[in-house]
Amino acid sequence: MNRPGSIQPPDDLGDARAATDMAWAVQRADRQALGGSGGSARAPAIGALSRRRFLVGAAAAGAGLSLGVLNPRTAAASASATADEVNAWVVIKPDDSVVIRIARSEMGQGTLTGLAQMVAEELDCDWSKVDWEYPSPRQNLLRDRVWRSFATGGSRGIRGSHQYVREGGAAARLMLVEAAAGRWQVSAAECSAANSIITHKPSGRTLTYGAVANDAAKLAPPLEVKLKDPKDWKLIGQPVKRLDTADKLNGKQVFGADIQLPGMLNAAVSACPVFGGARKRFDAAKVAAMPGVKGVVPLDNNAVAVVADTWWRAQKALKALPIEWDFGDGGSLSQADIIARLDEGLTAETPLIGNQSGDARAALESAETLVEATYSYPYLNHATMEPMNATARWTEDFCEVWCPTQNGEAAHAGAAEAAGLPLEQVEVHKVHLGGGFGRRGAPDYVRQAVLIAKQFPGTPVKLLWSREEDMMQGFFHPITKARVRGGLDADGKLEALHLRVSGQSILAGLMPNRLADGVDFATFQGLLPEGDQRISYRVENLLVDHAMRNTHIRPGFWRGVNVNQNAVYMECFLDELAHAAGTDALAFREPLMRSNPRGWAVLQAVAERSGWASRQEDGRHLGLAVFHAFGSDVAACAEVTVEADDALRIKRIVAATDPGFCVNPQQTEAQVEGSFVYGLSALLYGECTVRDGQIEQRNFDTFPSLQISQMPEVETLVMPSGGFWGGVGEPTIAVAAPAVLNAIFAATGKRCREVPLKRSGLKFA
Amino acid sequence: MSKLNINGQTLELDFDADTPLLWVLREQAGLTGTKYGCGIARCGACTVHVDGQPMRSCVVPASAFGPAQAITTIEGLSPDSSHPVQQAWLELDVPQCGYCQSGMIMAASALLDGNPNPTDADIDANMTNICRCGTLQRVRRGIHRAAEIKAQGKTA
């Protein structure tokens, strides 16, 4: 039995270790499917120095690292950029332009710009001269992980690296000042730096950063750096424009799917539509003579790819290729079986406890009023706009990969394993992502590309999944149901709550070594006793537990992860309790949030801004939700109308977020707005269902996404209270669905407890 | 070989007759700004203009077009990103990941060509492209802003 006081959420979810674990989990699944050496998958050993590595290493030692040589984005610029790297984070060119290295991946969430702002803040450089580049995972390996984690998930891009990236900027600044002082033969203490200019205060002499960057690069890095007091920040907290917008307006931005290399072939792939199934046989001869076809390649034991001169021809031949599958055990499972399994878990005994205080069961027995409700939340596909893809070129002593990835190091490891080469002989070029949302932390598609390229040594091959393949071969938001019971005392105060989650565990499916005595603490996001995924309320008698009911469907981390359903379960049920108590939903929460002033502040802010107090006299239907997620406190107040013909319109949402420190408020607003599109798409339509073991939805016709006509007006209140670093990309999605569901109740008096709403009888154009 | 008029140039391209325009643009003409999202004309990422009208290029065979039809892709919308929609998008930082934005911009510019001052209802009716990052609110603001920029350009 777990003691509540000792419970810790898995804080590093989405970081390198988790992602690397995931890389191996993917392999393990593949190998287990092979029926062979499951469990023996290991990270490729770092072998003896290869000839190739020796050459790169020698260049690095002799002339400074020119990282860009291996990065298509900066290849031209870096050919001459050798000695201008002040440190790992900062490159300054003679013309004073500044290149800031970004280790995390940009997938739309704005992390790239936020991280650059933080380095530039401490560097005191001219922001108008800032550009950026990605270091590669291989360079990170060869330089003892100087950039630390490349993992971009769990809303950790900024909150997980703010300290060391700012230190990188501050150290570079000290070195530049020291170099200028050396040039002038004066004490560095007499010099100041601002806006890329160093000034010797007594004499008024100045030098630009570009003029001394080469000298600075030769200096030993400072042993200690002091970061600015937040009150002195000039760039952090400012709504500066993104650094990566211009190329997204004219077609110049190269995404992974856009990679074009000389002589490149294209591949289309089909994996067994049932997870855990295998390929029985395929008839390559049937497509060998089709135009442009270069080969048919079996992958692992469960997939087959067609390679052709163009992707269209490859995909066309793939569709014509006769393939027989062995669906395996999963092939007999359908949605009703899964629901039955979850229903059984709603009342089963379970030792998996996430949060416990007092005696919830006894208190529920003796409560004056008992309220009970059952909710459900479905499987969901990430459905990034850009389907999975990767380009690889393999030779027997080196493999290069170009791919959109949320975790360069996991992609590197996955590519090396597939290439059969040590990590030093594999390079991964990170390319902009056409969306990530958690899907691109896994390197399954990278492995496939390398396995295909291995069959065409020396020739680059680009693998692109069709939308249909992408829909079927996802890492699905797990399916769960919840039975929630609450006990009110005679005064209508909540005295006991039991929230039972029944359903699938992500960690059990992807990284079972992360379970703690069988408990998947990620399941309890936003419901844990403490930490950055803690519960927002204090309830005297509380029990939150989990009946783990897994299936063969591959689970994954989907924007917001388990806060999506946990916030529906908690926040909609609190609304039900308030209604049962005859109390206003805001007033009902107040006594439960006295030890949570930040959560209360964002909730009050949205209530006030939305006119919560006067809603009844104004005839408006509002719903509230508040949650603590990824270290931040978020709240939303949704306003809906439901017409006589059951037509639902989500008119307006006021959303507040307190991420502690806010690096870029206009990008925070963009993330909040986007969270409603993703979260409400799921609420209205998003559902993946299982028939004969296969995901039924294959494209956007059966898995629709919110359109602009359904987009509510979102007003964002950014309320940074300072003192901590909370996440931004994911927290707000928690409150999207429950705020709207509670508003629907206000409008109709009817509780919708099943997500999505497409079977609710409500209509939405 | 077939002749297509793309971004003001007549190109001779070699493709199978059933190849959708999208894939000819991307794989034969090398214009990768037009994106593949669904292949069934549902998402709008592949939107181009044909004689000024928005068209989802993933479901129409390229062989249906000849040199008489002017095909415009995102690369040809303006020579220097100066189209009012591009200006507005830059000003408001509309894109997030950016993958859907070529299609959004082409759909928005076609809307403005036919309706220089669209109402919210006009935008609702005409903009059916999807964006998973969730830029929809800024897309709406961007269209209104582009209408202003366009009007200013005319009076200036």
Side-chain angles (χ1 to χ4, degrees):
Chain A
M1 182 61 70
N2 294 282
R3 285 171 292 111
S6 69
I7 291 171
Q8 287 294 332
D11 266 347
D12 59 341
L13 277 187
D15 268 357
R17 189 183 144 202
T20 307
D21 282 353
M22 185 131 125
W24 306 131
V26 171
Q27 284 174 34
R28 187 166 46 242
D30 290 343
R31 293 197 175 191
Q32 279 168 349
L34 266 170
S37 54
S40 69
R42 288 176 55 90
I46 295 173
L49 286 179
S50 69
R51 188 176 59 88
R52 183 76 173 251
R53 182 198 168 185
F54 174 75
L55 291 173
V56 171
L65 266 175
S66 52
L67 290 168
V69 164
L70 296 166
N71 184 335
R73 186 173 183 279
T74 54
S78 64
S80 61
T82 48
D84 46 11
E85 175 187 306
V86 180
N87 65 22
W89 302 98
V90 175
V91 175
I92 297 176
K93 310 246 168 97
D95 66 357
D96 288 329
S97 59
V98 177
V99 179
I100 294 175
R101 302 249 175 79
I102 305 294
R104 313 285 174 135
S105 297
E106 177 58 47
M107 48 190 162
Q109 83 281 37
T111 294
L112 160 60
T113 304
L115 289 170
Q117 279 177 265
M118 291 202 288
V119 173
E121 176 70 60
E122 295 292 340
L123 182 60
D124 275 319
C125 67
D126 180 347
W127 178 250
S128 70
K129 296 186 172 128
V130 168
D131 200 356
W132 64 277
E133 69 184 10
Y134 285 140
S136 83
R138 177 167 173 272
Q139 293 295 349
N140 203 31
L141 174 84
L142 298 178
R143 294 180 69 175
D144 295 328
R145 271 189 113 226
V146 66
W147 293 285
R148 305 200 199 185
S149 175
F150 280 34
T152 316
S155 292
R156 292 190 163 270
I158 282 171
R159 70 191 177 113
S161 65
H162 62 87
Q163 184 74 21
Y164 59 81
V165 301
R166 284 184 296 150
E167 286 171 358
R173 179 186 183 279
L174 288 175
M175 292 159 77
L176 290 159
V177 170
E178 196 186 330
R183 190 81 65 86
W184 291 321
Q185 303 277 297
V186 300
S187 158
E190 293 177 357
C191 302
S192 64
N195 217 31
S196 291
I197 296 168
I198 304 146
T199 304
H200 179 233
K201 288 179 283 185
S203 67
R205 283 177 290 181
T206 60
L207 280 168
T208 67
Y209 280 7
V212 297
N214 278 1
D215 292 354
K218 292 173 192 135
L219 298 172
L223 296 174
E224 229 179 300
V225 294
K226 189 170 172 290
L227 297 180
K228 287 182 186 175
D229 188 304
K231 72 175 165 39
D232 298 323
W233 286 341
K234 297 187 192 74
L235 202 49
I236 296 177
Q238 294 305 308
V240 299
K241 295 282 174 58
R242 294 174 67 112
L243 293 174
D244 58 341
T245 297
D247 284 356
K248 295 175 179 174
L249 309 179
N250 53 22
K252 283 191 186 142
Q253 178 67 61
V254 173
F255 295 86
D258 303 329
I259 290 283
Q260 297 180 94
L261 296 168
M264 186 179 82
L265 297 176
N266 287 272
V269 71
S270 180
C272 182
V274 179
F275 290 113
R279 183 188 63 244
K280 270 206 299 214
R281 66 184 67 86
F282 60 94
D283 188 356
K286 285 273 196 306
V287 301
M290 286 180 72
V293 170
K294 306 289 181 189
V296 180
V297 182
L299 303 176
D300 295 323
N301 75 325
N302 66 344
V304 57
V306 174
V307 180
D309 53 355
T310 69
W311 186 80
W312 174 252
R313 284 173 158 181
Q315 178 66 18
K316 198 175 156 188
L318 180 68
K319 281 186 192 164
L321 179 70
I323 313 171
E324 277 181 58
W325 306 107
D326 171 3
F327 292 139
D329 295 342
S332 59
L333 205 69
S334 288
Q335 191 74 3
D337 308 313
I338 296 171
I339 298 297
R341 200 179 282 187
L342 266 48
D343 283 339
E344 178 274 329
L346 290 174
T347 52
E349 292 294 314
T350 178
L352 310 178
I353 291 172
N355 198 345
Q356 188 172 26
S357 59
D359 188 339
R361 289 178 199 274
L364 285 168
E365 289 287 318
S366 62
E368 179 77 15
T369 307
L370 182 70
V371 181
E372 179 174 336
T374 300
Y375 295 87
S376 69
Y377 200 92
Y379 283 122
L380 293 164
N381 187 293
H382 298 83
T384 60
M385 288 304 296
E386 179 197 32
M388 297 305 112
N389 68 84
T391 304
R393 178 167 55 205
W394 183 92
T395 63
E396 61 184 30
D397 64 0
F398 204 78
C399 180
E400 268 185 292
V401 173
W402 294 258
C403 65
T405 171
Q406 288 179 241
N407 189 336
E409 292 179 301
H412 193 205
E417 188 275 340
L421 290 167
L423 286 165
E424 302 95 320
Q425 286 166 249
V426 176
E427 184 55 286
V428 170
H429 307 290
K430 287 165 58 178
V431 189
H432 253 41
L433 288 72
F437 315 118
R439 172 63 182 86
R440 286 186 160 105
D444 51 327
Y445 54 97
V446 176
R447 285 191 74 250
Q448 285 186 340
V450 172
L451 292 174
I452 298 164
K454 246 175 139 169
Q455 302 304 314
F456 298 85
T459 300
V461 182
K462 176 163 76 185
L463 168 68
L464 172 66
W465 286 12
S466 66
R467 174 60 60 194
E468 289 76 11
E469 185 71 3
D470 199 90
M471 285 297 299
M472 284 190 286
Q473 302 297 331
F475 285 76
F476 293 85
H477 180 288
I479 191 169
T480 59
K481 292 187 79 167
R483 175 177 182 240
V484 201
R485 293 185 299 151
L488 302 173
D489 67 13
D491 300 325
K493 184 172 174 286
L494 179 63
E495 58 175 358
L497 184 75
H498 178 194
L499 196 163
R500 158 65 59 86
V501 178
S502 173
Q504 194 156 357
S505 151
I506 301 173
L507 297 188
L510 293 186
M511 33 187 103
N513 59 329
R514 307 299 295 282
L515 298 175
D517 294 334
V519 182
D520 173 356
F521 284 107
T523 296
F524 303 113
Q525 272 185 295
L527 304 172
L528 289 163
E530 58 195 25
D532 65 359
Q533 309 284 2
R534 64 177 174 266
I535 194 167
S536 290
Y537 307 107
R538 174 165 288 177
V539 182
E540 203 171 314
N541 300 288
L542 176 71
L543 178 61
V544 181
D545 56 8
H546 178 206
M548 193 186 292
R549 296 293 181 271
N550 297 324
T551 77
H552 71 298
I553 300 292
R554 185 166 65 176
F557 303 97
W558 188 97
R559 189 177 191 175
V561 193
N562 290 307
V563 303
N564 287 289
Q565 71 274 20
N566 289 348
V568 168
Y569 303 158
M570 178 57 91
E571 291 302 290
C572 291
F573 190 68
L574 274 186
D575 204 73
E576 298 206 34
L577 286 168
H579 186 72
T583 312
D584 175 283
L586 182 65
F588 183 78
R589 285 174 170 89
E590 190 275 332
L592 307 173
M593 297 185 77
R594 285 185 188 150
S595 56
N596 179 11
R598 285 203 301 260
W600 178 244
V602 290
L603 182 61
Q604 260 196 320
V606 297
E608 194 175 311
R609 186 73 187 167
S610 306
W612 175 261
S614 64
R615 70 194 184 283
Q616 274 150 346
E617 55 204 77
D618 300 342
R620 295 181 305 130
H621 308 302
L622 305 185
L624 290 172
V626 61
F627 221 64
H628 185 82
F630 304 92
S632 295
D633 287 289
V634 295
C637 185
E639 178 177 354
V640 308
T641 59
V642 180
E643 302 299 329
D645 62 352
D646 289 328
L648 167 70
R649 187 166 158 243
I650 306 166
K651 282 182 69 176
R652 181 169 183 249
I653 290 174
V654 177
T657 180
D658 178 1
F661 293 116
C662 172
V663 179
N664 187 324
Q666 69 99 347
Q667 281 302 300
T668 300
E669 285 176 16
Q671 287 309 295
V672 170
E673 292 161 12
S675 294
F676 288 101
V677 177
Y678 210 67
L680 297 180
S681 293
L683 175 66
L684 297 184
Y685 323 97
E687 178 182 41
C688 294
T689 50
V690 181
R691 175 183 287 182
D692 299 331
Q694 308 183 18
I695 293 293
E696 294 187 272
Q697 291 71 20
R698 302 291 164 88
N699 209 320
F700 290 123
D701 52 349
T702 46
F703 191 75
S705 197
L706 201 78
Q707 292 191 349
I708 207 165
S709 59
Q710 299 143 333
M711 176 71 193
E713 176 201 341
V714 174
E715 182 180 354
T716 304
L717 309 174
V718 182
M719 298 172 57
S721 61
F724 66 98
W725 298 81
V728 167
E730 294 174 275
T732 295
I733 201 166
V735 289
V740 170
L741 287 167
N742 291 340
I744 290 171
F745 176 75
T748 64
K750 183 182 159 204
R751 291 285 174 194
C752 299
R753 301 189 180 95
E754 190 182 346
V755 176
L757 288 172
K758 64 187 183 190
R759 282 183 297 274
S760 66
L762 293 169
K763 291 180 209 142
F764 22 91
Chain B
M1 294 292 253
S2 305
K3 285 186 179 171
L4 290 180
N5 177 351
I6 302 172
N7 298 332
Q9 286 186 299
T10 302
L11 304 179
E12 277 201 65
L13 300 166
D14 187 15
F15 52 85
D16 303 334
D18 63 349
T19 314
L21 177 60
L22 167 67
W23 293 103
V24 171
L25 292 171
R26 290 180 57 82
E27 302 200 295
Q28 268 86 28
L31 296 168
T32 57
T34 306
K35 305 302 185 196
Y36 165 68
C38 66
I40 58 169
R42 279 281 174 160
C43 78
C46 65
T47 305
V48 298
H49 297 173
V50 177
D51 292 333
Q53 296 301 307
M55 182 171 286
R56 296 193 171 176
S57 63
C58 69
V59 290
V60 284
S63 54
F65 303 98
Q69 280 123 334
I71 297 164
T72 307
T73 70
I74 185 73
E75 290 91 345
L77 186 63
S78 71
D80 51 3
S81 295
S82 62
H83 188 283
V85 173
Q86 290 168 315
Q87 287 186 49
W89 253 235
L90 185 66
E91 188 180 313
L92 299 176
D93 250 359
V94 172
Q96 290 189 31
C97 87
Y99 192 81
C100 73
Q101 294 297 327
S102 298
M104 284 283 184
I105 290 169
M106 295 309 280
S109 58
L111 168 61
L112 286 166
D113 283 344
N115 181 351
N117 196 15
T119 62
D120 279 338
D122 295 334
I123 293 171
D124 287 349
N126 287 280
M127 294 294 294
T128 56
N129 297 29
I130 62 175
C131 167
R132 295 288 287 166
C133 295
T135 61
L136 301 176
Q137 179 148 316
R138 290 194 185 191
V139 167
R140 183 188 297 284
R141 283 170 53 203
I143 292 172
H144 288 309
R145 179 69 191 122
E148 285 175 15
I149 294 170
K150 211 167 172 174
Q152 284 161 6
K154 286 219 174 88
T155 56

